[in-house]
């Protein structure tokens, strides 16, 4: 019989937190950077200077035409929300985007597909959803669905990339949980949407586009299965969403079986 930890769930949570930097080093570094920038913009700068920085990295139409690269990359260094006002709707958004999207699902993506592909998914969702939303805004302004001043509205943060990761991470859940999760990913942005004519506000449009990008990537075969592990044991996804190496891949070729040295710790 396996012995139970005296701390129970708290002990498992502590062990997971201690292993987090090792299991998802890129995500861990990115979360630390986001928190540091959040403290800097909120407490290290004057209100006027902070507003100027956020205005520069805002991915609105004017900035995307004037300095697209610094706006797109700079926006990904911030999250728009609060960490202290836990009773507010802003905190709920922070929990979903920063907590679930970046801290949890981006870490899972890093472990499942590696640093490069997980970063490509996140940045691709951030940039792709931003540019597609900008195109929607341009059409909406031209047709009078959005006011003209939306061209220079304040719009920054990691939420589009996080939304893409939330969507593409659906297969890691159990089969029973996948459909409810997919519906949640699509529905939560609509909860606080403001409708202007036939369209909701542009941030809601952006989150829906980001989710659609994530779900569309699931059609790519390489994103439907985990990467091959460094040990050479390919991992497959079981019906319950867990991963295990195939037994056939673990067997060495007959000619090499006699000379193969067992790995340490096996």
């Amino acid at each position: 019989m396996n012995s139970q930890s005296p701390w129970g769930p708290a002990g498992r949570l502590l062990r997971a937190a201690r292993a987090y930097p090792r299991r998802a080093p890129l995500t861990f570094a990115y979360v630390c950077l986001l928190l540091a920038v959040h403290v800097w913009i909120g407490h290290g700068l004057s209100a006027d200077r902070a507003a100027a920085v956020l205005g520069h990295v805002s991915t609105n139409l004017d900035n995307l035409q004037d300095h697209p690269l610094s706006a797109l990359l700079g926006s990904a260094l911030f999250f728009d929300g609060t960490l202290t006002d836990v009773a507010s709707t802003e905190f709920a958004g922070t929990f979903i985007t920063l907590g679930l999207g970046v801290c949890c699902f981006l870490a899972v993506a890093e472990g499942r597909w590696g640093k490069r592909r997980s970063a490509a998914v996140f940045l691709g969702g951030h940039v792709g959803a931003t540019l597609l939303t900008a195109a929607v805004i341009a059409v909406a302004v031209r047709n009078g669905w959005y006011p003209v001043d939306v061209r220079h509205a304040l719009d920054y943060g990691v939420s589009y990339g996080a939304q893409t990761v939330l969507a593409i991470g659906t297969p890691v859940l159990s089969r029973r949980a996948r459909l409810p999760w997919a519906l949640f990913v699509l529905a939560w942005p609509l909860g606080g949407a403001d409708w202007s004519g036939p369209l909701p506000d542009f941030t809601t449009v952006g989150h829906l586009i980001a989710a659609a990008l994530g779900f569309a990537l699931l059609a790519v075969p390489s994103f439907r299965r985990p990467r091959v592990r460094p040990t050479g044991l390919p991992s497959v996804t079981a019906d319950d969403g867990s991963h295990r190496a195939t037994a056939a891949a673990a067997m060495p070729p007959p000619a090499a079986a006699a000379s193969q040295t067992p790995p340490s710790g096996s």
Side-chain angles (χ1 to χ4, degrees), residues 8-153:
R12 291 193 295 270
L13 182 61
L14 179 60
R15 288 194 297 271
R18 292 177 61 183
Y20 188 91
R22 174 176 55 83
R23 292 179 179 272
L26 183 63
T27 302
F28 177 73
Y30 185 47
V31 171
C32 291
L33 177 61
L34 288 173
L35 294 175
V37 172
H38 185 74
V39 172
W40 171 69
I41 201 72
H43 303 282
L45 297 178
S46 65
D48 290 342
R49 181 58 180 164
V53 171
L54 294 177
H56 182 79
V57 301
S58 179
T59 53
N60 53 46
L61 287 183
D62 289 349
N63 283 354
L64 289 175
Q65 291 177 353
D66 182 66
H67 50 276
L69 189 60
S70 60
L72 286 168
L73 296 181
S75 177
L77 300 178
F78 299 85
F79 63 90
D80 183 16
T82 178
L83 293 173
T84 55
D85 190 5
V86 297
S88 65
T89 55
E90 286 187 2
F91 182 82
T94 302
F95 175 77
I96 294 171
T97 57
L98 180 64
L100 293 178
V102 179
C103 295
C104 295
F105 274 74
L106 182 58
V108 170
E110 183 178 349
R112 185 177 175 88
W113 298 305
K115 296 181 181 67
R116 292 183 179 179
R117 279 199 285 176
S118 60
V121 168
F122 185 86
L123 289 176
H126 171 72
V127 174
T130 298
L131 295 180
L132 290 173
T133 304
V136 172
I137 293 173
V139 172
V141 169
R142 190 178 307 119
N143 287 275
W145 301 333
Y146 288 163
V148 177
D149 58 5
V150 78
R151 292 184 57 89
H152 50 267

